[in-house]
């Protein structure tokens, strides 16, 4: 049995120029403009509150395209563990807002997927989404 360990280097973390809520809104708006399905929004902060606990603002946005995801799963079905794609928006104790995601190239390597235009296009999309959500000069 082979296990692949994740490391911090596999994640991309970008500081946002915007507030937590605005970063989240910009991401969901861009997903809508690109006709990318949002499967779920998980507000970890709110869920912690319902359990009587505190947590800094933390929101996970799960999104993707069944057509594109299926193409990857046809090659390596177990990638379904990491699909759909996700982006995490957090606010730290200093009020800085961060967007974090795992780049598709890491998934490609972890699941031994063949290099393809699909992987390349997903990577470009992730970069575009991150830029639009976090930067005042978003593309």
């Amino acid at each position: 049995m082979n296990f692949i360990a994740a490391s911090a280097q596999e994640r991309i973390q970008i500081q946002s120029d915007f507030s937590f809520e605005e970063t989240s809104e910009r991401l969901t708006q861009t997903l809508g403009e690109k006709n990318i399905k949002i499967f779920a929004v998980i507000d970890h902060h709110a869920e912690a509150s319902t359990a009587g606990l505190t947590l800094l603002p933390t929101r996970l946005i799960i999104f993707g395209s069944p057509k594109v995801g299926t193409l990857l799963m046809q090659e390596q079905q177990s990638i379904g563990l990491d699909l759909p794609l996700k982006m995490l928006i957090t606010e730290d104790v200093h009020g800085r807002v961060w967007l974090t995601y795992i780049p598709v190239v890491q998934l490609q390597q972890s699941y031994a997927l063949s290099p393809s235009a699909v992987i390349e296009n997903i990577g470009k999309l992730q970069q575009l989404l991150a830029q639009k959500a976090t930067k005042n000069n978003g593309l």
Side-chain angles (χ1 to χ4, degrees), residues 92-108:
D92 67 21
V93 296
H94 303 289
R96 294 175 300 206
V97 176
W98 301 92
L99 183 136
T100 305
Y101 67 96
I102 298 172
V104 72
V105 69
Q106 293 298 329
L107 298 177
Q108 175 191 6

Side-chain angles (χ1 to χ4, degrees), residues 2 8 12 15 17 20 22-23 28 34-35 44-45 50 53 58-59 61 71 76 78 80-81 96 101-102 109 114:
N2 293 331
I12 293 178
Q15 186 172 354
D17 293 340
F20 176 83
E22 189 170 356
T23 300
T28 57
K34 298 286 183 192
N35 293 316
H44 291 294
H45 168 79
T50 66
L53 301 169
T58 306
R59 185 172 294 147
I61 300 175
L71 293 173
Q76 181 57 263
S78 61
L81 284 168
R96 294 175 300 206
Y101 67 96
I102 298 172
Q109 293 168 0
S114 304

